[in-house]
Every structure is written in structure tokens, then in C-alpha cells.
């Protein structure tokens, strides 16, 4: 997702730029009062929901304006198609909301929904209506990106495989493409129109257009408006500054990027993939071929926080809870004492608050002085990192922040208490200075803090990370409100959870996650997750005296910090036991390699022209898989040769995505296996494998009786690049030496798409076509084996087992499938869980990924059976596994969300 100032359409096109449904369309600021002039600094809008009220959306150069209030959009992307368990959508959306996101970017992959022209499926793991309802219930705005082309490291950028053979260039003005693209958008828009925030029926706030050329923009805008989409439309060529971060940025990189965006005045902040997820099935593009997508995402594939999350959590809550940051202008330049620290100076014209963004691109930490409020303040910026400081912030009760060496995270008014939280790196000494014309009455609530009052300023110093959260209470005769200062390092900040209720705001400290907070009379009811045993501390609106956690009463007492504090830690999670994987059954496949195999039902490959951008070799038929309707997964070829006497060698050229391979047999004899390793660009790997015909086989071909041998070839990894979806996949050329046989080719890939799991789940392996990967298949006649194995054969071997998990209902356990083996053993494994293709493991050091995540819902965790099937492809050059295969616990928490089983139908007898 790429959100930005440039994301809106041109400023002159107000019908695209901003929509104010109260009767006017606006591309500029409209104060809540309706009076002329800019919208002043003030509280952000309440969290969104399907509230039945019409809403106005506009913007100015500082922020979005929702019903006349400033909204700084802090959006992270969750790709629903990379989380094939609808129950877990709620889990991740709740985590995003708790960690400071106020919007979710939602790309839609056309290829997930459309197995064939005119056929669309929005059920099960593709239920867009359910996702949008869940986002609204979670309180997140939605930035929708329906494509048709989305990129997103998805096969063909999300375009369906059948489009490659539809006789049209994608993303052009060609009538055939526009007809198909319009049909897709019509189906999507029929769902989206029911969930628009402007109508009060959902939280879809913005709609992103895929307009690769200016001449397409007007037509596309007219199309979506005619479909009833009336929220503001975004597109890439707008004159507003881009505010995105790239996949894979670490914590320091995320700080540098997003604080720079803040200094640049970015209107819409895009943090990239908030949740990485799984490229299951044949979803992945060659640009990201492993099953795990973006392991550096804020929330990883196993739904755990990563290193990158802390700065996003802090900035997100800052933009939500400190209104000064919604309207910042460039201020007079300020220089640090050391030129290696770059400084951007900003100020809020309404409140006078000042913001300093410091950046250090050098390889060493730099300590220097910075003039803050007339005082040279020593500051340190770690290597290749950034930090943000503030001065002049109103902390409530008329108290002003003179300056601080730590970053503000939030300010809240809770009852008669004002809370201000500040964050920094562990091991730093935080120094905060308050302007206090009257001498205050500070109280150190934790041993680490110290304070001193001098020249009408209160100086507070706290070492960060020494013992969790540090608290300092400040009272003074000039205000009847108490100020509570909180200091946290990165790890501790991830235990701070602001929340909002109709009766006011509050704050929770301690749990691993706060999912929800609601008030019921004098009780605040909290739900969330605990990992380790930890105390619970709650600041709640006035009148609240009791606390429940996940439905159970918590014994509390009132602390000196005016919080309700649990008298004992809440218990952590008891890690569930995982069973060993045994009871394996084994069976060889690839009968397609045998000369007598009946391929009469296969597709005849005799075309001479192709829709592909790849050139068809002269005097050869088209062998490209897409031209014969095989778009995903493995593809088999069988060529019956006439006149093969004297044949010495066969050269096979194949085009694949990343980590492609081919295997070849002649007359049932293995010729060899070849990894496709040469990249041609735009996501295509193309390589030629030369195989010598063994002497014994040449003698057979040259015998006295007529003989029509069969050349059998298996090609793996037919994924398409996201920028060149029409490049050929599969075999592209076959050259013979020593003879010039005539060849009659047939080709076979995946059978009809799985009606539940979708078109990208299955490939063309024999076992897949026969249902060997599905629950309920009768494998009683298969060989009973144990692992590890050391088979040495070229081809495909299947292993199946059934196992049961019994995870307690109040525990959310994330489970993976781990592989361990000697890297000298060369093979790869396609993993199927309850019939769902969870991705490929590659042994031999060719892939860094040794553990595949098994999403709950597809994985039955509540005393239910799970069918695990492994399709092992091996070249025969080394002993092949699988080696050790085991379940591994990736993370667990006491809490979670209810998880409904994902439909996983078994094999049906023909």
C-alpha cells in the first residue's frame, strides 16, 4: 500500500479529492463550525464504526478532516488473502488497533476470487463483506485497494491466471481487458458500497484507484462513482507527497522513515505491512517466493510482535492522542552542535508546540547539544536512527513541557488526572523539564526517578528500562488537577494501552495486549492477552471502582498513582503440549513418467501462436502452460517421439518464477533434474537443461522394432512476476541432438479449482489430482514408515499422517511445522494441512525458511484431527527426506479470539 499527499487526485479535481456528504465537495479545510478559516487544533474524531450517521470527509495540507475534526491517518496493511482464517482477521485487526493504528490498508487479489472468466467467489476465506464488518467492529478505518492490479508480491500482481490467455494486454485500454476489469470492480464495489463511512454503514474511508496511465483515470473514476462509491478516491499520480515505508524495514529504519514523513508534512502515513502473513498455495510472486511474507512486519506471520512494532506503536498513539501533531508547519531552522545530527524544526501555529526531528545517518551514536527553548540540551541519537523531541506541549492543567530528551507518546485526561507518557531506548537517562511558575509538589512513585526544582522549572530524570514503568506525580497550587508523568523504554511502552469509552479515556498498563475496554456501571471490563505473569494497572474514568479481566474479577487497590492496581500479578499462559508426528504412511507417485501411462485425457499442445509476451520458438509448438489453461503449480508434459533412433541428448528450456526446477524422463528412464537459476528480469527465471541420453536407452531407441518413446517433463514453480504477468511459464523450447524426431505433445496441470480453497491451492501433481492431500483419503494401503527417510529416486513421494491437538479454549497457541535435515540432502516439500497448501519447504540451504506457520482455523486446535500430507520432490542425486518433521510452538497467550474451523472438505469418491 502506498498512501501519500500524492495519493489524492489532482487538487483541481475536487470530485476526487475530498467528499463532504453534507451537500458540498471540498478539497480544502472546512471548520466544524462552518466558519471560514483553517480547522484549528483539537481532539481527533472518535473511533469509527458503522454508526448509522452520515459523515463528511475533506482534507487540507496537514491532515484529513472528518466531520470537521483533524484526523492523521496512521494505516498499516493487512492482506486478507495472506491470512486464510477469517476468525484471525479479528485477532490481527484488534492487535493493530491496540498498537496505535487507526486504519487498515486492504488490497484485494482478483486471482483469489476468480477461477475463470465470469466466475467470482466472495465466500469463506474470500468473504470481503465479513472482513469489512470486522474492521468496523474493531474501530478501524479502511483504505481499500481493489486493483485490478495490486502488486503486493502476489502472482501476476493479483491478476487472475486466466487473463494471460484472454487475448488482451493487462492494464491497458483494450476493450477485452476493460470488460473483465469492469466486471471485477462491479462485483467488489457492490460489497464496498454497503460499508462506506460517508454513509455510516461501515468504515471504508478511502478507495484507491489502479490507474497506470492518466487517460484511464477519468474513465475509472466514472466507473466507481457509477457503482455507488462516494468516499474520496486515491491514485498514484496525485500532487501530494508520498508517505510509505518499504517491506523489511527494522525498528531504526521505521523511525527514520516515519519521523521524516512527519517532518515533511505527510497527510496520510503508510507503515507498510502491519501483518506479513503467509503466501500459501501458489499465491506468491517471484519477488517474495517463500511462504512467510515480510518477516520484519510489525506483527509477524505467527501473529507475534516484532522489533519493528515499538516505534510504530509509539508514533501511532502519539498521532492519536496528542492533537498538536495533526497540524505542523516548518519553523525556523535549528542546528545541533554536531553536524552529523540533522534537525528538522516544526511548530503548531495554534498551540505554539514545537517539534524537533533528529536523524543520524552515521555508523556511530552521536551525542551533541540542541538549543531547546533557549537552553542547550544534550541529546544522543543512536547510529542510523532517529528520534523526535517536543517543547511547549500542553500536558494538562495549564502545565507546559519546556523540553525533554525523550519522545512523547500520549497525553490523556482521565477523571481529575492528566497523564503524559514519554518513551526512549533502554539504558538512556530521560531528562524532562516542566515550566512551573509556582513551586510544585512532585512525588517519586518509583525508586528510579529523581527531581529538582530550579528557576521556575521542574527537572525530572529517570533511567529507562531499569524496572518497567517509572511514575512521577506532580501537584501544584495553581491547578486542582494532578499530573502523572510516565516513563518507558521500548519494551515497556508495548505494555501501555490507552483506550476510549463513551464516558472518557483511560489507560491500562501490564498485559501483553488490551483488546477491548468497556464500562458497566462502576466496573471496567477488560479483555486481552497475557503471556507472562504481570501486574495490571488501570486508570479509568471517574466512578469506576472495579475491574474484570477476560470476564473474571480482579482484586485491586487504589495506588498512589491514582490507578486501580491488581494486588497480585495476573497469571501468564501455560504452554500447551504438542504431539509428536508419527504414524506416517508413504507412497510413490509420478506414473506420468512411465511410457505406458494413459495420457489420452490430457490437453494436446499443438498451438502455433500464443498470447504470451515470450517468443514462440520457430518450428515448435506452443508449450507455455497458461495457453492451455494451467496457471498455478506444477505442470506435466508428455511428448511422444517418432523417429528417435540415434538420439544423443535433449535440451529443455523452461521459464519459471523463483526457485523453479524441472525433472525429465525418457521412456521411463530418469534423465535428471535441473534447478532453473538464471534470472531474465521482471520476475522470470529461464534456463536450459541439457540431458545426455544414457547408452542403454540409446540402444533401446535404435533397436530393430519401431519404438515411440515418451519424453516426460515435470516443471515446478509457475508463478508469474507482478510486473510481467504474461511472460511464459513452463516448458518454452525442446531441442534434440543426434535425431530430429517428430513430437506429439500433451500437457496436464491442476484439475478444476478447489471450490472451497480456491484456484491457487492446487497444482498438477498426480497425488493432488487424485486427492492424496485431502482429509478422508483412504491411505490404508500405503507403506507404513517412520521419519527420517533416506530415499534416493527421481520424482515425487507422498507422506501422510493424522495428529490431534488439545489446546485449552482460553489459550491462543500459534503452531508451526519445523523441518530439520542435513543440508547436503537435496529435495523440496509441498506441505498440505487439512487439504490447504501451506507452502514449500526447500532443503539443501536454498531457502532460509525451515518453519511453516499453520494458521489456527485451518489447524484444528480443540481436540480435533488434522491431516498432514507432504509431497516430496527429489532429483535422485542425494538421499531425500523428509528428515525430522515436528510441530513447534511459535507463541502462546492466555486470551485470544474465538476461532471457527475453516472449511476443509475431504476427498469425494468419483
Amino acid at each position: 500500500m502506498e498512501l501519500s499527499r500524492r495519493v489524492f487526485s489532482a487538487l483541481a479535481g475536487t470530485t476526487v479529492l475530498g467528499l463532504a456528504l453534507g451537500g458540498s465537495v471540498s478539497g480544502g479545510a472546512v471548520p466544524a463550525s462552518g466558519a471560514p478559516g483553517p480547522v484549528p487544533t483539537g481532539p481527533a474524531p472518535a473511533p469509527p464504526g458503522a454508526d448509522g450517521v452520515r459523515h463528511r470527509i475533506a482534507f487540507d495540507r496537514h491532515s484529513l478532516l472528518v466531520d470537521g475534526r483533524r484526523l492523521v491517518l496512521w494505516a498499516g496493511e493487512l492482506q486478507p488473502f495472506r491470512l486464510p482464517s477469517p476468525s484471525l482477521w479479528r485477532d490481527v485487526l484488534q492487535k493493530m488497533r491496540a498498537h496505535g493504528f487507526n486504519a487498515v490498508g486492504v488490497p484485494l487479489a482478483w486471482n483469489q476470487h476468480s477461477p475463470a472468466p465470469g466466475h467470482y467467489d466472495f465466500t469463506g476465506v474470500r468473504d470481503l463483506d465479513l472482513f469489512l464488518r470486522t474492521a468496523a467492529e474493531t474501530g478501524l478505518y479502511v483504505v481499500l485497494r481493489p486493483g485490478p492490479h495490486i502488486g503486493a508480491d502476489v502472482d501476476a500482481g493479483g491478476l487472475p491466471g486466466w487473463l494471460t490467455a484472454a487475448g488482451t494486454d493487462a492494464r491497458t485500454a483494450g476493450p477485452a481487458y476493460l470488460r473483465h476489469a469492469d466486471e471485477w470492480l462491479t462485483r467488489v464495489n457492490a460489497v464496498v458500497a454497503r460499508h462506506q463511512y460517508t454513509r455510516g454503514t461501515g468504515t471504508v474511508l478511502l478507495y484507491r484507484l489502479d490507474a497506470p496511465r492518466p487517460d484511464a483515470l477519468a474513465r475509472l473514476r466514472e466507473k466507481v462513482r457509477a457503482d455507488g462509491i462516494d468516499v474520496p478516491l486515491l491514485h498514484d499520480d496525485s500532487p501530494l507527497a508520498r508517505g510509505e515505508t518499504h517491506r523489511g524495514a527494522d525498528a531504526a529504519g521505521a523511525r527514520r522513515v516515519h519521523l521524516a514523513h512527519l517532518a515533511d508534512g505527510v497527510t496520510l502515513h503508510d507503515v507498510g505491512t502491519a501483518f506479513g502473513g503467509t503466501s500459501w498455495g501458489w499465491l506468491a510472486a517471484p519477488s517474495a517466493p517463500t511462504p512467510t511474507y515480510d518477516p520484519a512486519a510489525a506483527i509477524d506471520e505467527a501473529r507475534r510482535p516484532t522489533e519493528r512494532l515499538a516505534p510504530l506503536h509509539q508514533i501511532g498513539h502519539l498521532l492519536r492522542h496528542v492533537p498538536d501533531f495533526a497540524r505542523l508547519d516548518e519553523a525556523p531552522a535549528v542546528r545541533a552542535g554536531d553536524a552529523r545530527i540533522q534537525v528538522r524544526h516544526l511548530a503548531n501555529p495554534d498551540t505554539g508546540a514545537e517539534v524537533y526531528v533528529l536523524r543520524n545517518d552515521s555508523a556511530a551514536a552521536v551525542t551533541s547539544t540542541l538549543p531547546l527553548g533557549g537552553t542547550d540540551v544534550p541529546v544522543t541519537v543512536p547510529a542510523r536512527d532517529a528520534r523526535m523531541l517536543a517543547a511547549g506541549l500542553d500536558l494538562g492543567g495549564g502545565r507546559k513541557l519546556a523540553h525533554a530528551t525523550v519522545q512523547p507518546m500520549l497525553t490523556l485526561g482521565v477523571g481529575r488526572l492528566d497523564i503524559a507518557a514519554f518513551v526512549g531506548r533502554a539504558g538512556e537517562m530521560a531528562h524532562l523539564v516542566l515550566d512551573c511558575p509556582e513551586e510544585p509538589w512532585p512525588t517519586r512513585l518509583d525508586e528510579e526517578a529523581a527531581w529538582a526544582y530550579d528557576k521556575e522549572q521542574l527537572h525530572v530524570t529517570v533511567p529507562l528500562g531499569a524496572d518497567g514503568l517509572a511514575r512521577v506525580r506532580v501537584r501544584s497550587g495553581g491547578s486542582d488537577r494532578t499530573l502523572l508523568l510516565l516513563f518507558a523504554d521500548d519494551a515497556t511502552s508495548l505494555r501501555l494501552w490507552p483506550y476510549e469509552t463513551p464516558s472518557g479515556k483511560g489507560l491500562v498498563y501490564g498485559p501483553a495486549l488490551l483488546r477491548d475496554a468497556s464500562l458497566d456501571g462502576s466496573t471496567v471490563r477488560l479483555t486481552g492477552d497475557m503471556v507472562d505473569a504481570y501486574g495490571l494497572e488501570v486508570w479509568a474514568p471517574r466512578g469506576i471502582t472495579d475491574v474484570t479481566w477476560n470476564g473474571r474479577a480482579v482484586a485491586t487497590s487504589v495506588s498512589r498513582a491514582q490507578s486501580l492496581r491488581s494486588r497480585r500479578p495476573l497469571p501468564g499462559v501455560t504452554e500447551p503440549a504438542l504431539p509428536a508426528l508419527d504414524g506416517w504412511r508413504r507412497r510413490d507417485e509420478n506414473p506420468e513418467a512411465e511410457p505406458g501411462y494413459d495420457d489420452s485425457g490430457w490437453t494436446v499442445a499443438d498451438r502455433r501462436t500464443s498470447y504470451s509476451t515470450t517468443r514462440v520458438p520457430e518450428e515448435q509448438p506452443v508449450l507455455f502452460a497458461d495457453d492451455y489453461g494451467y496457471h498455478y503449480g506444477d505442470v506435466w508434459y508428455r511428448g511422444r517421439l517418432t523417429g528417435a533412433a540415434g538420439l544423443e541428448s535433449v535440451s529443455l528450456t523452461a521459464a519459471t518464477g523463483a526457485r523453479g526446477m524441472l525433472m525429465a524422463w525418457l521412456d521411463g528412464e530418469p534423465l535428471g533434474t535441473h534447478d532453473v537459476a538464471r534470472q531474465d528480469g521482471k520476475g522470470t527465471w529461464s534456463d536450459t537443461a541439457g540431458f545426455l541420453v544414457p547408452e542403454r536407452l540409446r540402444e533401446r531407441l535404435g533397436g530393430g522394432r519401431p519404438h515411440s518413446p515418451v519424453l516426460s517433463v515435470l516443471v515446478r514453480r509457475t508463478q508469474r512476476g507482478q510486473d510481467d504477468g504474461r511472460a511464459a511459464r513452463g516448458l518454452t523450447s525442446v531441442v534434440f541432438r543426434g535425431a530430429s524426431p517428430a513430437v506429439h505433445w500433451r500437457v496436464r496441470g491442476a484439475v478444476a479449482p478447489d471450490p472451497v480453497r480456491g484456484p491457487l491451492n492446487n497444482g498438477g501433481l498426480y497425488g493432488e489430482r487424485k486427492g492424496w492431500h485431502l482429509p478422508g483419503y483412504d491411505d490404508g494401503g500405503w507403506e507404513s514408515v517412520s521419519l527420517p527417510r533416506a530415499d534416493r529416486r527421481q520424482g515425487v513421494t507422498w507422506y501422510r499422517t493424522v495428529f490431534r491437538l488439545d489446546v485449552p479454549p482460553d489459550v491462543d497457541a500459534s503452531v508451526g511445522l519445523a523441518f530439520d535435515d542435513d543440508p547436503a540432502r537435496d529435495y523440496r516439500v509441498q506441505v498440505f494441512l487439512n487439504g490447504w497448501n501451506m507452502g514449500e519447504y526447500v532443503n539443501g540451504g536454498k531457502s532460509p525458511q525451515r518453519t511453516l506457520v499453520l494458521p489456527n482455523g485451518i489447524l484444528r486446535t480443540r481436540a480435533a484431527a488434522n491431516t498432514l500430507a507432504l509431497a516430496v520432490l527429489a532429483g535422485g542425486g542425494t538421499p531425500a527426506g523428509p528428515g525430522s518433521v515436528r510441530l513447534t510452538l511459535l507463541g502462546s497467550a492466555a486470551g485470544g479470539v474465538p476461532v471457527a474451523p475453516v472449511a476443509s472438505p475431504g476427498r469425494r469418491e468419483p
Side-chain angles (χ1 to χ4, degrees):
M1 183 177 67
E2 298 173 354
L3 299 178
S4 67
R5 284 179 163 186
R6 296 194 334 123
V7 165
F8 288 114
S9 42
L11 286 169
T14 55
T15 57
V16 178
L17 280 175
L19 185 70
L21 277 185
S24 67
V25 172
S26 172
V30 181
S33 64
V39 172
T41 298
D51 54 12
V53 177
R54 287 184 174 266
H55 296 279
R56 295 178 298 117
I57 307 170
F59 73 97
D60 64 11
R61 68 185 182 88
H62 295 291
S63 70
L64 288 175
L65 304 171
V66 174
D67 298 328
R69 290 188 174 189
R70 292 198 174 278
L71 173 71
V72 180
L73 205 71
W74 185 251
E77 189 163 282
L78 189 165
Q79 301 170 357
F81 48 81
R82 282 198 165 100
L83 184 54
S85 178
S87 299
L88 297 184
W89 295 341
R90 183 179 302 276
D91 173 71
V92 176
L93 289 171
Q94 287 182 345
K95 287 174 178 173
M96 289 178 62
R97 177 68 188 172
H99 284 294
F101 293 95
N102 59 14
V104 55
V106 183
L108 302 178
W110 184 3
N111 56 17
Q112 282 284 307
H113 296 267
S114 182
H119 294 271
Y120 294 90
D121 185 353
F122 288 88
T123 65
V125 300
R126 296 164 294 278
D127 192 338
L128 176 61
D129 188 85
L130 174 60
F131 184 92
L132 296 178
R133 292 201 312 271
T134 306
E137 292 164 2
T138 308
L140 287 171
Y141 295 105
V142 172
V143 180
L144 194 81
R145 183 155 61 99
H149 182 275
I150 59 171
D153 296 305
V154 176
D155 183 277
L159 300 177
W162 55 260
L163 196 63
T164 61
T168 180
D169 287 331
R171 307 186 78 198
T172 68
Y177 172 72
L178 292 178
R179 183 175 67 255
H180 292 305
D182 282 356
E183 186 175 69
W184 159 245
L185 291 177
T186 297
R187 300 298 184 96
V188 170
N189 293 342
V191 178
V192 175
R194 302 195 298 268
H195 295 274
Q196 297 182 93
Y197 191 59
T198 47
R199 301 183 183 184
T201 54
T203 57
V204 176
L205 185 76
L206 302 169
Y207 183 107
R208 169 94 172 264
L209 300 176
D210 172 36
R213 297 192 318 277
D215 60 348
L217 178 59
R219 181 193 176 281
L220 187 55
R221 182 171 62 234
E222 181 180 347
K223 160 66 182 167
V224 297
R225 290 299 187 214
D227 286 345
I229 304 302
D230 53 28
V231 298
L233 306 179
L234 316 179
H235 70 90
D236 284 343
D237 296 324
S238 307
L240 299 174
R242 191 178 299 276
E244 61 172 332
T245 186
H246 296 290
R247 187 169 66 87
D250 60 10
R255 262 190 297 270
R256 287 203 309 272
V257 169
H258 294 299
L259 292 180
H261 290 168
L262 185 70
D264 290 339
V266 163
T267 305
L268 308 175
H269 295 265
D270 170 21
V271 308
T273 47
F275 169 75
T278 301
S279 293
W280 59 278
W282 299 102
L283 174 69
S287 48
T290 59
T292 294
Y293 183 68
D294 196 359
I299 301 169
D300 72 8
E301 183 186 13
R303 299 176 288 115
R304 302 169 299 185
T306 68
E307 179 209 5
R308 185 182 171 198
L309 184 56
L312 305 182
H313 175 90
Q314 296 160 7
I315 298 173
H317 285 301
L318 173 78
L319 297 177
R320 170 69 191 168
H321 296 288
V322 186
D324 304 72
F325 287 82
R327 189 181 182 209
L328 293 174
D329 291 329
E330 197 78 27
V334 171
R335 290 182 173 82
D338 191 315
R340 289 176 294 175
I341 296 181
Q342 306 164 45
V343 183
R344 297 286 300 277
H345 184 203
L346 308 148
N348 183 297
D350 300 324
T351 67
E354 297 181 274
V355 175
Y356 303 83
V357 175
L358 284 59
R359 177 171 175 145
N360 174 18
D361 291 331
S362 74
V366 176
T367 298
S368 181
T369 56
L370 184 71
L372 295 176
T375 303
D376 285 340
V377 177
V379 295
T380 299
V381 183
R384 298 188 178 91
D385 207 335
R387 68 189 320 151
M388 187 270 293
L389 306 178
L393 282 181
D394 184 355
L395 302 186
R399 300 180 181 91
K400 288 277 188 178
L401 173 70
H403 59 80
T405 62
V406 280
Q407 174 180 306
M409 175 176 157
L410 56 85
T411 59
L412 299 173
V414 182
R416 293 187 180 275
L417 186 67
D418 294 313
I419 302 174
F422 293 83
V423 293
R425 310 295 91 75
E428 294 179 342
M429 179 65 74
H431 182 201
L432 180 145
V433 180
L434 285 179
D435 286 328
C436 297
E438 298 184 23
E439 185 170 357
W441 309 321
T443 304
R444 180 179 64 183
L445 304 181
D446 296 281
E447 292 298 321
E448 294 77 17
W451 60 269
Y453 182 71
D454 181 50
K455 298 179 181 179
E456 298 186 341
Q457 288 187 324
L458 178 67
H459 295 252
V460 179
T461 55
V462 179
L464 298 181
D467 189 23
L469 191 67
R471 308 158 184 82
V472 175
R473 188 180 65 201
V474 181
R475 295 172 177 166
S476 61
S479 174
D480 63 350
R481 298 181 64 81
T482 298
L483 173 64
L484 181 66
L485 299 173
L486 305 178
F487 298 88
D489 65 354
D490 285 347
T492 303
S493 75
L494 291 173
R495 293 183 180 273
L496 282 172
W497 309 105
Y499 64 90
E500 300 176 57
T501 75
S503 299
K505 295 183 178 181
L507 182 66
V508 170
Y509 169 64
L513 179 71
L514 178 69
R515 295 183 181 272
D516 188 43
S518 61
L519 305 185
D520 182 6
S522 61
T523 300
V524 58
R525 301 190 180 279
L526 307 176
T527 61
D529 296 357
M530 296 295 295
V531 175
D532 51 346
Y534 213 88
L536 176 68
E537 192 167 5
V538 182
W539 290 271
R542 296 179 67 182
I544 298 300
T545 58
D546 299 295
V547 176
T548 68
W549 176 256
N550 290 342
R552 296 182 179 179
V554 178
T556 63
S557 57
V558 178
S559 74
R560 292 194 298 160
Q562 298 183 24
S563 62
L564 296 172
R565 199 167 186 174
S566 62
R567 294 178 180 173
R568 60 185 61 87
L570 298 186
V573 64
T574 300
E575 292 189 350
L578 301 180
L581 297 178
D582 51 21
W584 291 96
R585 292 186 175 273
R586 174 189 180 279
R587 182 174 176 180
D588 295 340
E589 64 139 271
N590 52 278
E592 301 94 336
E594 299 301 323
Y597 178 79
D598 181 8
D599 59 17
S600 60
W602 288 25
T603 304
V604 175
D606 59 359
R607 296 186 178 186
R608 295 292 168 175
T609 60
S610 171
Y611 293 122
S612 172
T613 55
T614 303
R615 184 182 65 85
V616 179
E618 293 183 7
E619 299 183 1
Q620 291 194 36
V622 174
L623 296 176
F624 312 156
D626 285 304
D627 285 86
Y628 299 101
Y630 302 120
H631 308 300
Y632 307 111
D634 301 296
V635 178
W636 273 98
Y637 296 85
R638 282 172 57 87
R640 190 165 297 277
L641 281 55
T642 303
L647 183 62
E648 298 175 353
S649 67
V650 179
S651 294
L652 304 172
T653 302
T656 71
R659 301 209 313 259
M661 63 165 287
L662 63 83
M663 297 179 176
W665 294 259
L666 182 60
D667 216 34
E669 296 284 342
L671 293 181
T673 300
H674 182 80
D675 290 329
V676 181
R678 194 180 77 239
Q679 186 174 5
D680 296 344
K682 291 189 176 181
T684 295
W685 279 251
S686 181
D687 213 349
T688 299
F691 298 115
L692 295 176
V693 178
E695 180 65 32
R696 65 181 182 281
L697 187 52
R698 276 191 278 172
E699 293 175 359
R700 189 193 311 168
L701 300 180
R705 60 184 180 84
H707 186 54
S708 298
V710 174
L711 175 63
S712 300
V713 182
L714 174 63
V715 179
R716 158 143 290 202
R717 217 57 182 180
T718 58
Q719 60 189 185
R720 283 164 291 273
Q722 55 184 347
D723 298 320
D724 188 11
R726 290 176 58 210
R729 289 295 183 264
L731 280 183
T732 58
S733 175
V734 181
V735 176
F736 301 97
R737 287 182 174 80
S740 299
V743 188
H744 178 75
W745 286 103
R746 291 182 181 267
V747 59
R748 184 65 183 268
V751 294
D754 189 306
V756 171
R757 300 172 180 91
L760 277 72
N761 192 71
N762 294 352
L765 294 180
Y766 180 86
E768 291 177 282
R769 303 198 305 267
K770 295 298 184 180
W772 293 3
H773 62 299
L774 296 175
Y777 178 81
D778 183 5
D779 57 16
W782 291 22
E783 177 188 7
S784 180
V785 298
S786 59
L787 299 183
R789 295 285 297 179
D791 297 329
R792 188 188 288 269
R793 65 179 294 268
Q794 177 177 299
V796 184
T797 306
W798 284 77
Y799 298 83
R800 284 173 54 95
T801 190
V802 174
F803 65 91
R804 290 179 177 271
L805 293 178
D806 192 7
V807 177
D810 59 347
V811 172
D812 177 12
S814 183
V815 178
L817 187 70
F819 292 85
D820 295 295
D821 207 347
D822 182 350
R825 288 153 54 101
D826 188 10
Y827 64 91
R828 55 186 70 196
V829 181
Q830 204 69 31
V831 176
F832 295 89
L833 176 66
N834 295 324
W836 291 83
N837 182 346
M838 300 318 304
E840 181 189 54
Y841 162 73
V842 181
N843 198 58
K846 298 175 184 176
S847 171
Q849 185 164 355
R850 306 187 72 86
T851 300
L852 278 66
V853 174
L854 307 177
N856 293 352
I858 291 177
L859 178 68
R860 293 355 188 200
T861 61
R862 312 299 190 206
N866 294 275
T867 299
L868 180 64
L870 309 178
V872 179
L873 282 72
T878 69
S884 169
V885 182
R886 57 185 171 84
L887 298 175
T888 183
L889 187 64
L890 302 175
S892 60
V897 299
V899 178
V902 176
S904 301
R907 181 176 184 271
R908 294 181 180 178
E909 294 297 333

